[in-house]
Amino acid sequence: MKKRTKTSRRNAFTYALVILAFAILQAMTAAGAISSSLKGMLVPICAYVVMAVSLNLTVGILGELSLGHAGFMSVGAFTGVTAAVALQDTVSSAPLRLLIGMVVGAAFAALAGFLIGIPVLRLKGDYLAIVTLAFGEIIKSIFNNLYVGVDSHGFHFSLLSDKTNLAEGGKLIISGPMGIGGIQKISTFTAGVLLVLVTLFVVFNLVNSRAGRAIMAIRDNRIAAESVGINVTKYKMMAFVVSAALAGAAGTLFAMNYSTIVANKFDFNTSILVLVFVVLGGLGNMLGSIVAAAALTILPEALRQFSDYRMLVYAIVLILVMLTTNNPTLRSYLDRAKAAVTGKRHEKEAA
């Protein structure tokens, strides 16, 4: 019960921090205290936060290394934007179109996660990482060669070249390597924060449920978990599909913040970037993933004054942070400081 109360407090603190950050940024935006470049980064930050939290479910909670998370983001981006573009003449409300797009993107990404999870989740360690990496590259290649159009007869698909043969008044949505152009930018910071809160709600409730305890048991000792009757395949698939669905919704949010989106945006580097967010924030630490994703998205822009050396400085900062957070002496000092603060608070509560 004591551990559950502590977890509930930590989760409530994470929700409160997200809401507080949203309120502060909204107030600063209204006062004109935020630069246009930072304002344009607010939606991508929300998308990357969702990506980091969802990947932490697979890497930190399930304990499996996935390098194809950008593939699920790509599936959500292209399917969600396709749905939103197809509904432009039918649904006039931009927030409703965005919501439908995110739901469609999440559903298709979940389906992709289920299909890829059937063979992949039988593997472990480096083999799983290699196969998920290959999956991400395959998805990118498919969207680079996919043409999708819509007309009065419905959707038309073709590969390698445009053979959609649309009727008069039809619209080509996905144009192969040219991606999707002319997108109405309907993603907002408010929608992004709401998606972050929904993601946290889903992940926290899953982790603190019976299924979440089974998932963590599999992570800690698969053989022991099987010996007490835990269905390993079922719970691994559950975590993998939920993670993929959240990444798909983030992909739709991200894509609808730009007028043009191409498949090459969701490449191997994007998967590695999200993995860096997770590792830097701490495996299984959702609050750490949020802080790392926000900080490392803003950092390259903040270092723009260094011009050609900014990515070098960025890499040095990452290395220093990793060395600092993994230093036993510093960690023990931080633990003692935390224990002292916690002890004082408990003494005040008792008094």
Side-chain angles (χ1 to χ4, degrees):
M1 180 66 75
K2 197 172 183 180
K3 185 177 180 181
R4 188 176 298 177
T5 304
K6 184 178 178 182
T7 302
S8 299
R9 286 178 179 173
R10 186 169 62 247
N11 295 349
F13 176 74
T14 304
Y15 287 125
L17 186 65
V18 172
I19 295 171
L20 179 63
F22 171 70
I24 291 173
L25 287 170
Q26 286 289 77
M28 292 176 67
T29 302
I34 294 182
S35 64
S36 58
S37 60
L38 179 58
K39 193 183 299 183
M41 293 172 63
L42 293 178
V43 172
I45 286 172
C46 292
Y48 282 132
V49 165
V50 174
M51 289 289 291
V53 172
S54 62
L55 182 60
N56 212 341
L57 180 61
T58 300
V59 178
I61 305 301
L62 179 60
E64 299 289 359
L65 179 59
S66 172
L67 295 179
H69 215 53
F72 300 124
M73 189 181 188
S74 177
V75 171
F78 279 87
T79 56
V81 172
T82 299
V85 171
L87 292 172
Q88 279 183 7
D89 299 330
T90 308
V91 180
S92 59
S93 173
L96 181 57
R97 282 205 314 277
L98 178 61
L99 176 62
I100 294 172
M102 287 195 290
V103 171
V104 170
F108 274 91
L111 177 61
F114 176 77
L115 294 177
I116 194 65
I118 293 172
V120 162
L121 293 180
R122 299 178 186 274
L123 306 172
K124 58 183 178 179
D126 297 340
Y127 300 103
L128 186 144
I130 291 169
V131 174
T132 51
L133 170 61
F135 159 74
E137 293 301 306
I138 289 170
I139 289 295
K140 186 182 75 172
S141 180
I142 289 174
F143 283 121
N144 264 327
N145 293 278
L146 178 65
Y147 293 82
V148 177
V150 62
D151 59 15
S152 56
H153 301 292
F155 285 98
H156 300 263
F157 305 87
S158 70
L159 286 171
L160 301 179
S161 61
D162 184 7
K163 301 174 184 174
T164 52
N165 297 320
L166 299 175
E168 186 177 352
K171 181 189 297 183
L172 187 65
I173 301 176
I174 302 179
S175 307
M178 300 297 292
I180 305 177
I183 303 172
Q184 287 187 4
K185 296 191 282 186
I186 58 176
S187 291
T188 62
F189 181 44
T190 302
V193 171
L194 289 175
L195 181 60
V196 170
L197 292 174
V198 169
T199 300
L200 290 173
F201 178 80
V202 171
V203 171
F204 284 154
N205 279 276
L206 176 60
V207 171
N208 296 322
S209 67
R210 185 172 180 269
R213 290 189 289 274
I215 291 168
M216 288 184 283
I218 295 168
R219 175 197 63 190
D220 295 337
N221 194 317
R222 175 173 179 161
I223 296 174
E226 285 181 327
S227 69
V228 296
I230 293 176
N231 189 331
V232 172
T233 303
K234 171 187 171 182
Y235 289 110
K236 287 179 74 173
M237 182 67 78
M238 183 185 298
F240 200 68
V241 169
V242 170
S243 176
L246 294 173
T252 303
L253 177 76
F254 182 87
M256 302 215 71
N257 188 55
Y258 300 97
S259 57
T260 303
I261 199 76
V262 294
N264 289 335
K265 176 62 181 174
F266 310 100
D267 58 3
F268 169 68
N269 292 326
T270 303
S271 292
I272 294 299
L273 179 64
V274 178
L275 183 61
V276 169
F277 296 156
V278 173
V279 174
L280 193 63
L283 298 180
N285 185 348
M286 302 306 164
L287 178 58
S289 294
I290 293 172
V291 174
L296 295 185
T297 305
I298 295 172
L299 188 59
E301 185 66 29
L303 295 173
R304 192 169 292 278
Q305 58 182 319
F306 293 99
S307 186
D308 296 337
Y309 300 99
R310 69 190 181 96
M311 294 313 294
L312 175 61
V313 176
Y314 177 76
I316 292 172
V317 169
L318 285 181
I319 292 170
L320 290 176
V321 170
M322 290 303 297
L323 290 175
T324 303
T325 54
N326 287 280
N327 185 292
T329 305
L330 182 60
R331 289 188 65 134
S332 63
Y333 173 76
L334 292 174
D335 289 340
R336 287 198 302 271
K338 182 179 178 182
V341 172
T342 305
K344 288 179 180 179
R345 187 171 67 242
H346 287 328
E347 289 176 4
K348 289 181 179 179
E349 290 176 356

